[in-house]
Amino acid sequence: MILLKNIKELFLTEESTPEFLKGESMNQINSIENAFLIIDGETIADFGSMSALSESNFDAEFDCTNKYVLPSFVDSHSHIVYAGTREGEFVDKINGLSYEEIAAKGGGILNSAKKLRKASENELFEQSMIRAKEVITTGTGALEIKSGYGLSVESEMKMLRVIQRIKEESDLSIKATFLGAHAYPNEYKNDKRAYLDLIINEMIPNIAQENLADYIDVFCESNYFSVEETIEIMEAGREFGLIPKIHVNQFTSIGGIEACVNHGALSVDHLEVLTDEDIEALKMGSTIPTILPACSLFIDIPYGPGKKLIENELGFALATDYNPGSSPCGNMQLVMSLACIKMKISPNAALNASTINGAYAMNLENELGTITKGKLANLIITKEIPSIGFIPYSFGTNDVDTVILKGRMQ
Ligand code: NIG
Ligand code: FE
Protein backbone atom coordinates (compact mmCIF):
# COMPACT_ATOMS: atom_id res chain seq x y z
CA MET A 1 0.00 0.00 0.00
CA ILE A 2 1.14 3.52 -0.82
CA LEU A 3 0.36 6.59 1.30
CA LEU A 4 0.09 10.17 0.00
CA LYS A 5 0.24 12.34 3.13
CA ASN A 6 -0.04 15.99 4.11
CA ILE A 7 -1.95 16.81 0.91
CA LYS A 8 -2.70 20.55 1.03
CA GLU A 9 -6.17 19.84 -0.42
CA LEU A 10 -7.64 16.73 -2.03
CA PHE A 11 -10.17 17.61 -4.74
CA LEU A 12 -13.25 15.90 -6.15
CA THR A 13 -13.77 13.70 -3.12
CA GLU A 14 -17.05 11.76 -3.38
CA GLU A 15 -18.53 8.88 -1.37
CA SER A 16 -20.09 7.52 -4.55
CA THR A 17 -20.20 8.47 -8.23
CA PRO A 18 -22.30 11.62 -8.69
CA GLU A 19 -24.77 12.02 -11.53
CA PHE A 20 -23.28 13.63 -14.65
CA LEU A 21 -22.94 17.24 -13.53
CA LYS A 22 -25.31 19.80 -15.03
CA GLY A 23 -26.26 23.40 -14.43
CA GLU A 24 -25.09 24.98 -11.19
CA SER A 25 -23.67 21.66 -9.92
CA MET A 26 -20.88 22.08 -12.49
CA ASN A 27 -19.53 24.86 -10.28
CA GLN A 28 -19.38 22.75 -7.11
CA ILE A 29 -16.36 20.70 -6.06
CA ASN A 30 -15.98 18.80 -2.78
CA SER A 31 -12.56 18.71 -1.18
CA ILE A 32 -10.70 17.84 2.00
CA GLU A 33 -7.92 20.06 3.35
CA ASN A 34 -4.78 18.56 4.92
CA ALA A 35 -5.66 15.12 3.62
CA PHE A 36 -4.25 11.65 3.09
CA LEU A 37 -4.95 9.09 0.37
CA ILE A 38 -4.08 5.39 0.40
CA ILE A 39 -3.51 3.39 -2.80
CA ASP A 40 -3.86 -0.39 -2.73
CA GLY A 41 -2.65 -1.96 -5.98
CA GLU A 42 -4.46 -0.17 -8.79
CA THR A 43 -7.20 1.47 -6.75
CA ILE A 44 -7.95 4.11 -4.14
CA ALA A 45 -8.33 2.25 -0.84
CA ASP A 46 -9.05 5.15 1.49
CA PHE A 47 -8.79 8.91 1.91
CA GLY A 48 -9.67 11.50 4.52
CA SER A 49 -8.35 14.18 6.76
CA MET A 50 -4.80 13.64 8.17
CA SER A 51 -6.21 13.68 11.69
CA ALA A 52 -8.21 10.52 10.84
CA LEU A 53 -5.23 8.53 9.47
CA SER A 54 -4.88 5.43 11.66
CA GLU A 55 -2.81 2.87 9.72
CA SER A 56 0.96 3.22 9.70
CA ASN A 57 2.34 0.31 7.69
CA PHE A 58 2.98 1.34 4.10
CA ASP A 59 5.28 0.13 1.33
CA ALA A 60 5.94 3.73 0.32
CA GLU A 61 4.99 7.20 1.57
CA PHE A 62 4.90 10.44 -0.41
CA ASP A 63 4.85 13.78 1.33
CA CYS A 64 2.51 16.16 -0.53
CA THR A 65 3.07 19.22 1.67
CA ASN A 66 2.00 22.37 -0.24
CA LYS A 67 0.73 20.23 -3.14
CA TYR A 68 -2.79 19.44 -4.30
CA VAL A 69 -4.08 16.04 -5.39
CA LEU A 70 -6.91 15.56 -7.87
CA PRO A 71 -8.14 12.84 -10.25
CA SER A 72 -6.22 12.70 -13.52
CA PHE A 73 -7.89 14.34 -16.52
CA VAL A 74 -10.21 12.35 -18.77
CA ASP A 75 -9.79 13.34 -22.42
CA SER A 76 -12.85 11.86 -24.08
CA HIS A 77 -12.14 12.96 -27.68
CA SER A 78 -8.85 12.52 -29.53
CA HIS A 79 -7.35 11.40 -32.81
CA ILE A 80 -3.78 10.74 -31.59
CA VAL A 81 -3.17 7.87 -34.02
CA TYR A 82 -1.92 9.63 -37.15
CA ALA A 83 1.10 9.60 -39.42
CA GLY A 84 3.09 12.74 -40.05
CA THR A 85 1.95 16.28 -39.35
CA ARG A 86 0.39 19.16 -41.33
CA GLU A 87 2.36 22.33 -40.61
CA GLY A 88 2.00 23.33 -44.28
CA GLU A 89 -1.73 23.73 -43.74
CA PHE A 90 -0.98 25.77 -40.63
CA VAL A 91 0.73 28.32 -42.88
CA ASP A 92 -2.21 28.17 -45.33
CA LYS A 93 -4.46 28.99 -42.38
CA ILE A 94 -2.26 31.90 -41.31
CA ASN A 95 -2.50 33.16 -44.89
CA GLY A 96 -6.26 33.22 -44.66
CA LEU A 97 -7.56 29.89 -45.99
CA SER A 98 -10.42 28.32 -44.03
CA TYR A 99 -10.57 24.68 -42.84
CA GLU A 100 -12.99 23.93 -45.69
CA GLU A 101 -10.80 25.67 -48.29
CA ILE A 102 -7.74 23.71 -47.18
CA ALA A 103 -9.72 20.46 -47.44
CA ALA A 104 -10.95 21.43 -50.92
CA LYS A 105 -7.38 21.77 -52.19
CA GLY A 106 -6.33 18.29 -51.05
CA GLY A 107 -5.41 19.09 -47.47
CA GLY A 108 -7.33 18.15 -44.36
CA ILE A 109 -8.42 14.65 -43.46
CA LEU A 110 -7.53 13.23 -46.90
CA ASN A 111 -3.98 14.58 -46.55
CA SER A 112 -3.62 12.64 -43.29
CA ALA A 113 -5.23 9.58 -44.90
CA LYS A 114 -2.61 9.61 -47.66
CA LYS A 115 0.21 9.65 -45.10
CA LEU A 116 -1.40 7.06 -42.86
CA ARG A 117 -2.01 4.55 -45.62
CA LYS A 118 1.74 4.57 -46.39
CA ALA A 119 2.83 4.05 -42.78
CA SER A 120 3.35 0.53 -41.44
CA GLU A 121 1.50 -0.52 -38.31
CA ASN A 122 4.75 -0.36 -36.34
CA GLU A 123 5.62 3.14 -37.55
CA LEU A 124 2.13 4.31 -36.71
CA PHE A 125 2.31 2.74 -33.28
CA GLU A 126 5.65 4.36 -32.53
CA GLN A 127 4.54 7.86 -33.57
CA SER A 128 1.26 7.53 -31.66
CA MET A 129 2.82 6.09 -28.51
CA ILE A 130 4.98 9.23 -28.23
CA ARG A 131 1.77 11.28 -28.11
CA ALA A 132 0.18 8.94 -25.56
CA LYS A 133 3.21 9.37 -23.29
CA GLU A 134 3.21 13.13 -23.87
CA VAL A 135 -0.40 13.59 -22.72
CA ILE A 136 0.33 11.76 -19.46
CA THR A 137 2.94 14.40 -18.59
CA THR A 138 0.25 17.09 -18.54
CA GLY A 139 -2.09 15.02 -16.38
CA THR A 140 -4.24 12.93 -18.70
CA GLY A 141 -5.13 9.49 -17.37
CA ALA A 142 -7.84 8.35 -19.77
CA LEU A 143 -8.07 8.86 -23.49
CA GLU A 144 -10.62 8.08 -26.16
CA ILE A 145 -8.90 7.57 -29.52
CA LYS A 146 -10.59 7.53 -32.93
CA SER A 147 -9.74 5.90 -36.23
CA GLY A 148 -10.76 7.88 -39.33
CA TYR A 149 -7.54 8.53 -41.25
CA GLY A 150 -7.54 5.08 -42.90
CA LEU A 151 -10.80 5.27 -44.88
CA SER A 152 -10.31 1.73 -46.23
CA VAL A 153 -11.04 -1.57 -44.51
CA GLU A 154 -7.37 -2.39 -44.12
CA SER A 155 -6.17 1.05 -42.97
CA GLU A 156 -9.05 1.62 -40.55
CA MET A 157 -8.28 -1.79 -38.99
CA LYS A 158 -4.60 -0.84 -38.85
CA MET A 159 -5.46 2.29 -36.86
CA LEU A 160 -7.73 0.39 -34.49
CA ARG A 161 -5.06 -2.27 -33.89
CA VAL A 162 -2.61 0.50 -33.02
CA ILE A 163 -5.14 1.83 -30.49
CA GLN A 164 -5.33 -1.67 -28.96
CA ARG A 165 -1.53 -1.79 -28.68
CA ILE A 166 -1.47 1.60 -26.95
CA LYS A 167 -4.07 0.22 -24.56
CA GLU A 168 -1.89 -2.81 -23.83
CA GLU A 169 1.36 -0.90 -23.43
CA SER A 170 0.28 2.16 -21.49
CA ASP A 171 -1.35 2.75 -18.10
CA LEU A 172 -3.85 5.13 -19.72
CA SER A 173 -7.48 3.97 -19.67
CA ILE A 174 -8.29 3.84 -23.39
CA LYS A 175 -11.51 3.56 -25.39
CA ALA A 176 -11.48 3.08 -29.16
CA THR A 177 -13.88 4.70 -31.61
CA PHE A 178 -14.39 3.68 -35.24
CA LEU A 179 -14.62 6.81 -37.43
CA GLY A 180 -14.71 5.36 -40.96
CA ALA A 181 -17.21 8.12 -41.82
CA HIS A 182 -14.69 10.91 -41.31
CA ALA A 183 -14.51 11.91 -44.99
CA TYR A 184 -15.26 10.32 -48.35
CA PRO A 185 -11.95 8.97 -49.71
CA ASN A 186 -10.97 10.08 -53.22
CA GLU A 187 -11.63 6.68 -54.77
CA TYR A 188 -15.29 6.96 -53.73
CA LYS A 189 -15.88 10.65 -54.40
CA ASN A 190 -18.14 9.84 -57.34
CA ASP A 191 -19.90 6.95 -55.64
CA LYS A 192 -20.61 7.90 -52.08
CA ARG A 193 -23.19 5.15 -51.71
CA ALA A 194 -20.48 2.57 -52.32
CA TYR A 195 -18.39 4.00 -49.48
CA LEU A 196 -21.36 3.94 -47.09
CA ASP A 197 -21.91 0.30 -48.09
CA LEU A 198 -18.26 -0.44 -47.44
CA ILE A 199 -18.56 1.04 -43.93
CA ILE A 200 -21.79 -0.78 -43.19
CA ASN A 201 -21.16 -4.15 -44.81
CA GLU A 202 -17.42 -4.59 -44.36
CA MET A 203 -15.78 -2.23 -41.91
CA ILE A 204 -18.29 -2.46 -39.07
CA PRO A 205 -18.68 -6.29 -39.10
CA ASN A 206 -14.91 -6.87 -39.34
CA ILE A 207 -14.13 -4.40 -36.57
CA ALA A 208 -16.82 -5.87 -34.34
CA GLN A 209 -15.59 -9.39 -34.97
CA GLU A 210 -12.08 -8.49 -33.78
CA ASN A 211 -13.55 -6.42 -30.95
CA LEU A 212 -11.51 -3.41 -32.03
CA ALA A 213 -13.90 -0.60 -31.12
CA ASP A 214 -16.20 0.53 -28.32
CA TYR A 215 -17.88 3.41 -30.15
CA ILE A 216 -18.83 4.58 -33.61
CA ASP A 217 -18.39 8.15 -34.85
CA VAL A 218 -19.42 10.12 -37.94
CA PHE A 219 -18.36 13.60 -39.07
CA CYS A 220 -21.93 14.88 -39.41
CA GLU A 221 -21.41 18.18 -41.23
CA SER A 222 -22.25 20.02 -44.47
CA ASN A 223 -19.99 18.62 -47.23
CA TYR A 224 -19.09 15.57 -45.11
CA PHE A 225 -21.86 13.20 -43.90
CA SER A 226 -25.51 14.24 -43.87
CA VAL A 227 -27.90 13.63 -40.98
CA GLU A 228 -29.54 10.78 -42.93
CA GLU A 229 -26.15 9.15 -43.56
CA THR A 230 -25.22 9.64 -39.91
CA ILE A 231 -28.43 7.91 -38.82
CA GLU A 232 -27.79 5.01 -41.18
CA ILE A 233 -24.28 4.52 -39.79
CA MET A 234 -25.38 4.90 -36.15
CA GLU A 235 -28.01 2.21 -36.72
CA ALA A 236 -25.58 -0.11 -38.47
CA GLY A 237 -23.06 0.30 -35.63
CA ARG A 238 -25.70 -0.27 -32.99
CA GLU A 239 -26.43 -3.73 -34.44
CA PHE A 240 -22.87 -4.67 -33.59
CA GLY A 241 -22.91 -3.05 -30.16
CA LEU A 242 -21.05 0.13 -31.15
CA ILE A 243 -22.47 3.14 -29.27
CA PRO A 244 -22.51 6.48 -31.16
CA LYS A 245 -20.21 9.36 -30.18
CA ILE A 246 -20.64 11.88 -32.98
CA HIS A 247 -18.80 14.90 -34.45
CA VAL A 248 -21.56 17.43 -35.02
CA ASN A 249 -22.22 21.19 -35.26
CA GLN A 250 -18.57 22.13 -35.86
CA PHE A 251 -19.38 24.54 -38.68
CA THR A 252 -23.14 24.29 -39.26
CA SER A 253 -26.25 23.13 -37.44
CA ILE A 254 -28.04 20.66 -39.71
CA GLY A 255 -30.20 18.74 -37.25
CA GLY A 256 -27.55 16.22 -36.25
CA ILE A 257 -27.87 16.80 -32.52
CA GLU A 258 -31.54 15.84 -32.40
CA ALA A 259 -30.82 12.72 -34.46
CA CYS A 260 -27.97 11.75 -32.11
CA VAL A 261 -30.06 12.27 -28.99
CA ASN A 262 -32.88 10.22 -30.49
CA HIS A 263 -30.43 7.43 -31.32
CA GLY A 264 -29.03 7.30 -27.79
CA ALA A 265 -25.60 8.72 -28.63
CA LEU A 266 -23.29 8.73 -25.63
CA SER A 267 -21.90 12.13 -26.64
CA VAL A 268 -22.18 14.86 -29.25
CA ASP A 269 -18.86 16.57 -29.80
CA HIS A 270 -17.72 20.02 -31.05
CA LEU A 271 -20.93 22.19 -30.86
CA GLU A 272 -19.16 25.40 -31.87
CA VAL A 273 -22.40 26.32 -33.62
CA LEU A 274 -25.41 25.60 -31.44
CA THR A 275 -28.99 26.79 -32.00
CA ASP A 276 -31.80 27.07 -29.48
CA GLU A 277 -33.42 24.04 -31.14
CA ASP A 278 -30.21 22.07 -30.55
CA ILE A 279 -30.29 23.06 -26.87
CA GLU A 280 -33.90 21.91 -26.59
CA ALA A 281 -32.92 18.60 -28.23
CA LEU A 282 -30.10 18.14 -25.68
CA LYS A 283 -32.62 18.58 -22.86
CA MET A 284 -34.62 15.61 -24.17
CA GLY A 285 -31.98 12.92 -23.60
CA SER A 286 -28.92 11.80 -21.69
CA THR A 287 -26.37 12.47 -24.43
CA ILE A 288 -23.42 14.44 -23.03
CA PRO A 289 -22.23 17.48 -25.00
CA THR A 290 -18.45 17.63 -25.41
CA ILE A 291 -16.70 20.90 -26.19
CA LEU A 292 -13.25 21.16 -27.79
CA PRO A 293 -11.85 24.67 -27.21
CA ALA A 294 -8.33 23.90 -28.50
CA CYS A 295 -9.89 23.24 -31.92
CA SER A 296 -11.66 26.61 -31.77
CA LEU A 297 -8.37 28.32 -30.96
CA PHE A 298 -6.35 26.55 -33.64
CA ILE A 299 -8.70 26.94 -36.59
CA ASP A 300 -10.12 30.21 -35.31
CA ILE A 301 -13.80 29.32 -35.10
CA PRO A 302 -16.34 30.13 -32.36
CA TYR A 303 -16.10 28.45 -28.95
CA GLY A 304 -18.85 26.05 -27.87
CA PRO A 305 -21.34 27.93 -25.65
CA GLY A 306 -20.49 26.23 -22.35
CA LYS A 307 -21.89 29.03 -20.24
CA LYS A 308 -25.21 28.92 -22.08
CA LEU A 309 -25.42 25.16 -21.56
CA ILE A 310 -24.93 25.63 -17.81
CA GLU A 311 -27.59 28.38 -17.78
CA ASN A 312 -29.93 25.89 -19.47
CA GLU A 313 -29.34 23.32 -16.70
CA LEU A 314 -27.19 21.23 -19.03
CA GLY A 315 -23.66 19.92 -18.49
CA PHE A 316 -20.75 19.08 -20.72
CA ALA A 317 -17.31 17.51 -20.95
CA LEU A 318 -14.15 19.20 -22.19
CA ALA A 319 -11.66 17.36 -24.41
CA THR A 320 -8.61 18.16 -26.54
CA ASP A 321 -9.58 16.78 -29.99
CA TYR A 322 -5.79 16.15 -30.34
CA ASN A 323 -5.33 15.68 -34.12
CA PRO A 324 -2.98 16.91 -36.86
CA GLY A 325 -5.45 19.23 -38.58
CA SER A 326 -7.61 21.16 -36.17
CA SER A 327 -5.95 20.70 -32.76
CA PRO A 328 -2.35 19.52 -32.59
CA CYS A 329 -2.44 19.74 -28.79
CA GLY A 330 -3.15 17.16 -26.09
CA ASN A 331 -2.86 19.42 -23.06
CA MET A 332 -6.00 19.34 -20.91
CA GLN A 333 -4.68 22.17 -18.72
CA LEU A 334 -4.62 24.46 -21.75
CA VAL A 335 -8.11 23.25 -22.69
CA MET A 336 -9.30 24.26 -19.20
CA SER A 337 -7.68 27.70 -19.55
CA LEU A 338 -9.35 28.28 -22.92
CA ALA A 339 -12.69 27.14 -21.53
CA CYS A 340 -12.44 29.64 -18.67
CA ILE A 341 -11.13 32.52 -20.78
CA LYS A 342 -13.18 32.11 -23.95
CA MET A 343 -16.30 30.25 -22.77
CA LYS A 344 -16.54 32.25 -19.52
CA ILE A 345 -16.95 29.26 -17.25
CA SER A 346 -15.54 28.96 -13.74
CA PRO A 347 -12.33 27.06 -12.97
CA ASN A 348 -14.45 24.58 -10.98
CA ALA A 349 -16.72 23.97 -13.97
CA ALA A 350 -13.68 23.46 -16.20
CA LEU A 351 -12.26 20.94 -13.74
CA ASN A 352 -15.54 19.00 -13.43
CA ALA A 353 -15.86 18.99 -17.23
CA SER A 354 -12.31 17.60 -17.53
CA THR A 355 -12.73 14.83 -14.95
CA ILE A 356 -16.10 13.39 -13.92
CA ASN A 357 -18.05 14.63 -16.96
CA GLY A 358 -15.28 13.41 -19.28
CA ALA A 359 -15.50 10.04 -17.55
CA TYR A 360 -19.23 9.94 -18.37
CA ALA A 361 -18.39 10.64 -22.01
CA MET A 362 -16.28 7.44 -21.99
CA ASN A 363 -18.60 5.29 -19.82
CA LEU A 364 -15.83 5.30 -17.21
CA GLU A 365 -17.69 7.18 -14.47
CA ASN A 366 -17.59 4.16 -12.16
CA GLU A 367 -13.81 3.80 -12.51
CA LEU A 368 -12.51 7.35 -12.91
CA GLY A 369 -13.20 11.06 -12.58
CA THR A 370 -13.53 11.47 -8.80
CA ILE A 371 -11.61 10.55 -5.66
CA THR A 372 -13.82 7.69 -4.52
CA LYS A 373 -12.89 4.45 -2.73
CA GLY A 374 -12.59 1.57 -5.19
CA LYS A 375 -11.99 3.78 -8.23
CA LEU A 376 -8.70 3.53 -10.10
CA ALA A 377 -5.82 5.39 -8.47
CA ASN A 378 -5.41 7.77 -11.43
CA LEU A 379 -4.12 10.88 -9.74
CA ILE A 380 -2.36 14.16 -10.31
CA ILE A 381 -0.04 15.60 -7.67
CA THR A 382 0.40 19.28 -8.53
CA LYS A 383 3.49 21.42 -8.19
CA GLU A 384 3.50 23.85 -5.26
CA ILE A 385 0.82 26.19 -6.65
CA PRO A 386 -1.21 28.70 -4.65
CA SER A 387 -4.71 27.37 -5.45
CA ILE A 388 -6.50 24.90 -7.70
CA GLY A 389 -7.78 27.80 -9.84
CA PHE A 390 -4.14 28.53 -10.62
CA ILE A 391 -4.19 25.61 -13.12
CA PRO A 392 -6.43 27.33 -15.73
CA TYR A 393 -5.04 30.76 -14.75
CA SER A 394 -1.41 29.87 -15.49
CA PHE A 395 -2.19 29.04 -19.12
CA GLY A 396 0.56 27.32 -21.05
CA THR A 397 2.36 26.19 -17.88
CA ASN A 398 2.46 22.59 -16.75
CA ASP A 399 1.35 22.66 -13.10
CA VAL A 400 1.52 18.86 -12.81
CA ASP A 401 4.34 17.48 -10.70
CA THR A 402 3.57 13.74 -10.65
CA VAL A 403 1.03 11.54 -12.40
CA ILE A 404 -0.05 8.21 -10.92
CA LEU A 405 -2.03 5.86 -13.19
CA LYS A 406 -3.47 2.57 -11.94
CA GLY A 407 -1.45 3.09 -8.77
CA ARG A 408 1.84 3.40 -10.65
CA MET A 409 4.04 6.52 -10.81
CA GLN A 410 4.46 7.60 -14.44
O1 NIG B 1 -12.46 16.90 -34.79
N1 NIG B 1 -13.82 17.61 -37.71
C1 NIG B 1 -13.44 16.50 -37.93
N2 NIG B 1 -12.36 15.88 -37.47
C2 NIG B 1 -11.29 16.48 -36.74
C3 NIG B 1 -10.29 17.16 -37.61
C4 NIG B 1 -9.62 16.20 -38.48
C5 NIG B 1 -8.51 16.76 -39.28
O2 NIG B 1 -8.54 17.92 -39.73
O3 NIG B 1 -7.56 15.98 -39.48
C6 NIG B 1 -11.86 17.41 -35.70
O4 NIG B 1 -11.72 18.64 -35.77
FE1 FE C 1 -12.42 15.34 -33.54
Side-chain angles (χ1 to χ4, degrees), residues 182-258:
H182 199 188
Y184 282 101
N186 275 334
E187 54 288 14
Y188 288 94
K189 72 171 181 255
N190 297 320
D191 191 359
K192 295 187 168 172
R193 183 67 246 168
Y195 188 60
L196 291 174
D197 290 341
L198 187 76
I199 291 176
I200 292 166
N201 300 325
E202 295 198 40
M203 292 184 185
I204 293 175
N206 279 307
I207 287 162
Q209 188 173 5
E210 287 192 34
N211 217 349
L212 287 174
D214 304 289
Y215 304 116
I216 187 155
D217 194 350
V218 178
F219 187 14
C220 177
E221 185 57 66
S222 311
N223 299 325
Y224 288 85
F225 292 82
S226 68
V227 175
E228 292 66 37
E229 291 166 342
T230 303
I231 291 173
E232 199 182 339
I233 295 167
M234 286 196 286
E235 287 177 349
R238 177 73 72 176
E239 279 184 36
F240 288 87
L242 301 176
I243 313 288
K245 260 174 94 64
I246 306 290
H247 279 76
V248 68
N249 286 47
Q250 182 174 6
F251 302 109
T252 53
S253 173
I254 55 174
I257 291 190
E258 190 182 354

Side-chain angles (χ1 to χ4, degrees), residues 77 79 86 99 109 149 182 219 247 250 270 321 323 325-326:
H77 182 134
H79 310 244
R86 297 184 357 222
Y99 184 81
I109 296 163
Y149 292 123
H182 199 188
F219 187 14
H247 279 76
Q250 182 174 6
H270 272 287
D321 198 18
N323 77 74
S326 69

Side-chain angles (χ1 to χ4, degrees), residues 164-194:
Q164 293 305 312
R165 280 178 69 184
I166 298 173
K167 189 170 175 174
E168 285 155 20
E169 296 196 22
S170 142
D171 283 325
L172 287 165
S173 298
I174 304 262
K175 293 272 176 126
T177 300
F178 166 56
L179 176 54
H182 199 188
Y184 282 101
N186 275 334
E187 54 288 14
Y188 288 94
K189 72 171 181 255
N190 297 320
D191 191 359
K192 295 187 168 172
R193 183 67 246 168

Side-chain angles (χ1 to χ4, degrees), residues 87-138:
E87 300 91 310
E89 294 178 18
F90 178 56
V91 176
D92 289 342
K93 256 185 293 258
I94 294 166
N95 289 333
L97 293 194
S98 69
Y99 184 81
E100 292 93 330
E101 286 164 339
I102 291 168
K105 68 172 204 138
I109 296 163
L110 295 186
N111 186 359
S112 284
K114 209 188 293 168
K115 296 183 205 283
L116 185 131
R117 287 174 175 188
K118 287 193 203 129
S120 71
E121 191 176 309
N122 277 336
E123 280 161 5
L124 194 57
F125 171 73
E126 264 149 36
Q127 288 190 31
S128 308
M129 195 64 189
I130 291 171
R131 296 178 199 117
K133 288 182 179 155
E134 171 209 331
V135 303
I136 295 172
T137 65
T138 48

